Amino acid sequence: FADRDGVIWLDGELVPWRDARVHVLTHTLHYGMGVFEGVRAYHTESSGTAIFKLKEHTDRLFRSAHIMRMNMPFSKDELNAAQKAVVRENGLKEAYLRPMAFLGSEGMGLRADKLQTHVMVAAWEWPSYMSPEAREQGIKIRTSSYTRHHVNITMCKAKANGNYINSMLALREALDAGCEEALLLDNEGYVAEGSGENFFMVRDGIIYTPELTSCLDGITRATIFQLAAEAGYTIREKRITRDEVYVADEAFFTGTAAEVLPIREHDGRVIGAGKRGPVTTILQQMYFDAVKGVGNKHPEWLAPVSE
Ligand code: PMP
């Protein structure tokens, strides 16, 4: 991934892709204290390539840094401009963006006190997380043997680098078992989220999702709340057990990378009709329309990279 043409924004400058390097003693590489975002830009009819919910992602990056007590050496405006620049300067029509703030190689050890926060933003083409078939037919998931982080073990509202060890263990286990994603339970045994997605289920026309507690405060999750309200659905946040999922009419994941992804099977049990359900279909369509600016209902969610 490092050996390619293009530019990456690093500490205030656009540098050639191959030169965007750090030292092996980069602190974040050793201890995982860093914060990042996953953002997407879509091609819209009205305003060309636009970053979806750019402000919300940058706000969350700053909240994550605040939780981790990392000083951000750039303003939100500077980072928003950097994100637009990497999409534009790499000539990308649609893109996945990765902003990250990390601690440098100014010191070693947990007590290092001269550390500086560095910031990078890269963007590349990443068409779809799942096959078009998965988007329509849904995916197969299993309950993870790994518990989602306890809220006092790590900070779940921060999108922090180190948190993703847990996600990777869970996802690898699920993939090895022939599934496409894991469903992680919290330390009390209730449904939390996927390795990189928030979870929703539908029963008798009502949409349910876990309270945030140990889940990431997903930006797609918030978008679904808004779109579901517009479509006249009720969403309830509540504790959900795995067997409630087994008997749900529909279930789906949401995330910037995964978008709106139906779940057709969980722990060997078929969910509902075993394919994308009607509520999921409507919300998925509304989501794709929103990110692509179809109907121009939420222009405030789109940040054109040309501006
Ligand atoms: N949970 C976790 C653990 C994630 O990594 C992500 C992806 N950022 C999400 C949920 C979904 O968040 P968002 O909709 O903001 O991408």
Side-chain angles (χ1 to χ4, degrees), residues 38 57 60 148 159 164 167 193-198 216-221 254-257:
H57 281 281
R60 186 171 66 186
R148 192 66 189 150
K159 193 166 165 64
Y164 284 82
S167 291
E193 60 184 342
S195 67
E197 304 88 14
N198 289 110
L216 188 72
D217 188 353
I219 288 163
T220 319
R221 182 183 186 271
T254 65
T256 300

Side-chain angles (χ1 to χ4, degrees), residues 105-122:
S105 49
E106 299 82 9
M108 253 300 131
L110 299 181
R111 289 165 193 268
D113 57 3
K114 298 232 162 36
L115 294 169
Q116 286 174 20
T117 308
H118 299 266
V119 187
M120 52 88 33
V121 188

Side-chain angles (χ1 to χ4, degrees), residues 141-176:
I141 66 168
R142 58 174 265 157
T143 305
S144 185
S145 74
Y146 297 98
T147 301
R148 192 66 189 150
H149 294 296
H150 181 272
V151 291
N152 281 326
I153 288 179
T154 187
M155 302 293 102
C156 302
K157 298 299 161 291
K159 193 166 165 64
N161 295 50
N163 289 357
Y164 284 82
I165 296 174
N166 177 250
S167 291
M168 289 180 71
L169 288 168
L171 181 59
R172 174 51 52 202
E173 177 187 61
L175 295 175
D176 286 350

Side-chain angles (χ1 to χ4, degrees), residues 123-143:
W124 60 88
E125 244 176 81
W126 194 12
S128 181
Y129 198 55
M130 292 281 171
S131 64
E133 196 206 334
R135 278 186 185 182
E136 277 181 32
Q137 296 303 318
I139 59 166
K140 215 169 118 179
I141 66 168
R142 58 174 265 157
T143 305

Side-chain angles (χ1 to χ4, degrees), residues 2-201:
D3 186 19
R4 53 199 274 170
D5 296 334
V7 288
I8 288 178
W9 188 94
L10 179 61
D11 286 338
E13 277 172 62
L14 286 169
V15 299
W17 195 286
R18 293 179 183 82
D19 298 343
R21 293 173 180 280
V22 293
H23 195 269
V24 288
L25 293 182
T26 297
H27 204 272
T28 300
L29 190 58
H30 294 252
Y31 307 112
M33 171 73 87
V35 296
F36 69 100
E37 272 303 317
V39 190
R40 267 190 196 270
Y42 292 87
H43 181 72
T44 68
E45 269 166 34
S46 53
S47 22
T49 300
I51 301 177
F52 186 67
K53 289 203 161 179
L54 173 63
K55 179 182 177 303
E56 288 80 352
H57 281 281
T58 303
D59 285 349
R60 186 171 66 186
L61 183 71
F62 277 70
R63 288 201 303 274
S64 297
H66 176 76
I67 290 170
M68 292 300 170
R69 301 189 66 182
M70 292 171 70
N71 290 324
M72 285 294 256
F74 297 96
S75 68
K76 289 182 180 176
D77 284 348
E78 284 169 312
L79 276 190
N80 288 339
Q83 290 173 83
K84 291 178 184 177
V86 290
V87 176
R88 206 173 47 231
E89 299 305 319
N90 286 300
L92 298 164
K93 197 171 166 195
E94 300 213 326
Y96 183 80
L97 289 85
R98 168 51 49 79
M100 177 172 73
F102 59 99
L103 301 174
S105 49
E106 299 82 9
M108 253 300 131
L110 299 181
R111 289 165 193 268
D113 57 3
K114 298 232 162 36
L115 294 169
Q116 286 174 20
T117 308
H118 299 266
V119 187
M120 52 88 33
V121 188
W124 60 88
E125 244 176 81
W126 194 12
S128 181
Y129 198 55
M130 292 281 171
S131 64
E133 196 206 334
R135 278 186 185 182
E136 277 181 32
Q137 296 303 318
I139 59 166
K140 215 169 118 179
I141 66 168
R142 58 174 265 157
T143 305
S144 185
S145 74
Y146 297 98
T147 301
R148 192 66 189 150
H149 294 296
H150 181 272
V151 291
N152 281 326
I153 288 179
T154 187
M155 302 293 102
C156 302
K157 298 299 161 291
K159 193 166 165 64
N161 295 50
N163 289 357
Y164 284 82
I165 296 174
N166 177 250
S167 291
M168 289 180 71
L169 288 168
L171 181 59
R172 174 51 52 202
E173 177 187 61
L175 295 175
D176 286 350
C179 292
E180 285 145 299
E181 184 52 274
L183 185 65
L184 290 103
L185 308 181
D186 66 20
N187 66 300
E188 292 183 273
Y190 296 94
V191 172
E193 60 184 342
S195 67
E197 304 88 14
N198 289 110
F199 174 83
F200 289 83
M201 57 169 260

Side-chain angles (χ1 to χ4, degrees), residues 177-243:
C179 292
E180 285 145 299
E181 184 52 274
L183 185 65
L184 290 103
L185 308 181
D186 66 20
N187 66 300
E188 292 183 273
Y190 296 94
V191 172
E193 60 184 342
S195 67
E197 304 88 14
N198 289 110
F199 174 83
F200 289 83
M201 57 169 260
V202 183
R203 180 131 194 240
D204 295 333
I206 298 190
I207 304 171
Y208 298 94
T209 191
E211 291 169 1
L212 282 180
T213 51
S214 60
C215 312
L216 188 72
D217 188 353
I219 288 163
T220 319
R221 182 183 186 271
T223 306
I224 289 298
F225 271 59
Q226 167 99 29
L227 297 176
E230 287 171 15
Y233 293 115
T234 302
I235 296 194
R236 295 205 182 123
E237 292 177 272
K238 73 172 213 78
R239 284 174 148 190
I240 295 171
T241 61
R242 62 195 279 182
D243 54 0

